[in-house]
Amino acid sequence: MRDSSDIVIVGAGAAGLSFAWRLLDPPPGVRPPDVVLVTPPPGRLRPPERTWCYWEPGPGDYDPFLTARWHRVRVRAPGGDGQARELGDLTYKMLRSGAFERGLEPRLAGLRRMEAVVEAVADRPDGAEVSGRTPDGAPFTLRASWVYDSRPPAAPPAARVSLCQHFRGWFVRCERPVLTPGTVELMDFRTPQPRHGLSFGYVLPTSRYEALVEYTEFGRAPLTRQAYDDALRHYTGRVLRLGAFRVTGTEQGVIPMTDGRHERRAGRHVFRIGAAGGAVRPSTGYAFAAIQRQSRAVAHALHTGRPPVPPPAHPARALAMDAVLLRGLDTGRIDGPAFFTRLFRDVPSARLLRFLDGTTRPAEEFAIGLRTPVLTMLRTAAELPLLTRRR
């Protein structure tokens, strides 16, 4: 089978669907491009339902699909200290991937979809070509002017420091109204700390009775499922003291935290988007807001006839600061719980979240930097250029 279009998008996660919608919603007087979205058939290549969190000022494009939203966050020290902090004009938002997909469906009129396993993406002098097999084993080839690939790369980029944020979460339904629905427990360091890296609890309460409770570590390798469940039992029972509850669902994942350089361009007519294009913020694992910025920028370029190259997801200076932090955590020079607790205690939460989103000014970043262990950070920054990037 052979077909042609203006644009082929590979993958229907947050990046693929967001980009498809932006392309099909052009300004008045602009013709929407012909877009084909290639999604994997049901099975191991299709990811399970996921939870995305992000923050933004005021109402947003996906508000009708949200599971919950909050205006306060808290970071707790290992001893339990930590006040709930107001987010000012920002709102912290929780979006489930299933609701996102269902909600976007009416906005994707005109989108051509195809279920298939993509085996190759090739750049051509006059465009690009996507090839693979349909669920019944038949070969296919799609030609397009531009291809945007959101699949994770076969190998991670070479990096000087490589950690991962790994986690497992329980959706819980408590028998008693023991939760505080107005506040996100963003980092609760009352968990036992591992010998390397750090750990914390993360609580997204959606009512007095229900929440997503996660156990998260920053480290070099994931745990076993049994180890995660043991940690969650300890956190929900001995720390949160939730009492009796039912687990109504689970989620688990691993997010790379690395200073590897993600190449956004894979050819003259082929680009990488989403996590594959560097949308994940190395120091936090957040990606959804950066994906939206990239999607809007590339769609605007295509609608206005400019080169549709995805812009960097995060400013270079933000990535440089992330590399220093990750190296400090990896070597043990930086006490993770003390570092994050102090930042959220001394820096207004709205400003700190804007910093994590890469939207602060240099003067604000300098002031935030003074709240960190300055000498340790400077020493770590000085040694980074001497380290070899490895896969």
Side-chain angles (χ1 to χ4, degrees):
M1 183 186 93
R2 290 183 177 270
D3 196 357
S4 62
S5 62
D6 295 325
I7 295 166
V8 170
I9 301 172
V10 181
L17 287 175
S18 299
F19 185 41
W21 171 50
R22 302 290 180 187
L23 289 171
L24 297 175
D25 186 36
V30 176
R31 181 188 68 83
D34 180 24
V35 182
V36 177
L37 180 68
V38 184
T39 64
R44 62 181 181 83
L45 294 179
R46 184 173 293 188
E49 187 166 14
R50 302 167 304 289
T51 300
W52 299 315
C53 288
Y54 59 102
W55 49 87
E56 61 183 348
D61 292 324
Y62 306 122
D63 280 9
F65 320 146
L66 296 177
T67 298
R69 67 192 82 193
W70 301 267
H71 296 282
R72 293 189 302 275
V73 299
R74 176 166 34 223
V75 172
R76 290 187 186 269
D81 299 334
Q83 292 184 339
R85 306 288 297 275
E86 297 288 338
L87 293 181
D89 66 336
L90 296 179
T91 303
Y92 194 91
K93 301 181 178 183
M94 174 184 179
L95 177 61
R96 295 281 285 159
S97 60
F100 175 73
E101 294 166 10
R102 293 187 296 272
L104 272 188
E105 192 64 35
R107 305 184 187 185
L108 296 175
L111 177 67
R112 291 197 285 154
R113 296 176 183 261
M114 179 179 185
E115 275 194 358
V117 176
V118 172
E119 298 174 340
V121 177
D123 200 37
R124 301 296 185 201
D126 58 346
E129 191 173 271
V130 176
S131 59
R133 295 190 177 275
T134 60
D136 61 4
F140 78 91
T141 300
L142 296 175
R143 299 185 186 276
S145 300
W146 310 99
V147 172
Y148 293 86
D149 192 349
S150 67
R151 297 173 302 161
R160 294 168 297 188
V161 56
S162 294
L163 299 177
C164 62
Q165 179 182 158
H166 53 95
F167 61 90
R168 181 169 170 82
W170 288 348
F171 291 87
V172 301
R173 168 75 185 181
C174 302
E175 292 187 359
R176 297 183 295 113
V178 293
L179 296 161
T180 305
T183 302
V184 170
E185 299 286 345
L186 195 64
M187 301 178 100
D188 185 347
F189 292 109
R190 292 178 292 173
T191 53
Q193 294 301 307
R195 295 179 62 184
H196 179 268
L198 60 91
S199 74
F200 57 89
Y202 177 46
V203 184
L204 296 168
T206 55
S207 73
R208 297 290 304 278
Y209 295 87
E210 295 175 299
L212 170 58
V213 181
E214 290 187 351
Y215 173 79
T216 301
E217 285 192 12
F218 291 0
R220 292 176 182 163
L223 307 180
T224 64
R225 176 173 171 176
Q226 183 63 51
Y228 286 122
D229 285 344
D230 289 344
L232 280 165
R233 277 190 285 270
H234 175 272
Y235 183 57
T236 55
R238 299 186 62 179
V239 178
L240 296 181
R241 300 185 183 278
L242 296 185
F245 62 84
R246 289 187 297 112
V247 177
T248 61
T250 63
E251 68 174 29
Q252 186 169 325
V254 180
I255 302 171
M257 304 179 73
T258 167
D259 70 341
R261 299 166 181 166
H262 290 81
E263 298 295 336
R264 302 183 307 281
R265 190 159 206 160
R268 186 178 175 188
H269 304 95
V270 180
F271 305 98
R272 296 188 177 97
I273 57 173
V280 177
R281 181 73 192 262
S283 62
T284 66
Y286 287 98
F288 192 81
I291 286 171
Q292 302 311 308
R293 289 194 297 269
Q294 280 190 326
S295 298
R296 284 192 294 266
V298 180
H300 179 70
L302 282 159
H303 292 151
T304 54
R306 295 185 291 110
V309 183
H314 304 286
R317 63 179 186 274
L319 297 179
M321 289 183 282
D322 284 359
V324 174
L325 173 60
L326 293 177
R327 174 66 177 171
L329 292 173
D330 191 34
T331 59
R333 291 183 197 135
I334 293 177
D335 180 328
F339 179 90
F340 288 107
T341 300
R342 181 180 179 186
L343 275 185
F344 275 90
R345 183 192 67 205
D346 295 347
V347 179
S349 295
R351 181 184 303 169
L352 192 55
L353 290 183
R354 287 193 294 106
F355 168 72
L356 296 178
D357 234 4
T359 58
T360 44
R361 299 184 298 274
E364 293 176 299
E365 293 160 8
F366 180 76
I368 291 172
L370 293 177
R371 302 295 183 180
T372 68
V374 176
L375 293 179
T376 299
M377 300 291 273
L378 289 175
R379 174 192 171 189
T380 305
E383 79 174 8
L384 272 174
L386 307 178
L387 301 179
T388 302
R389 291 185 179 273
R390 304 178 186 278
R391 291 197 182 277

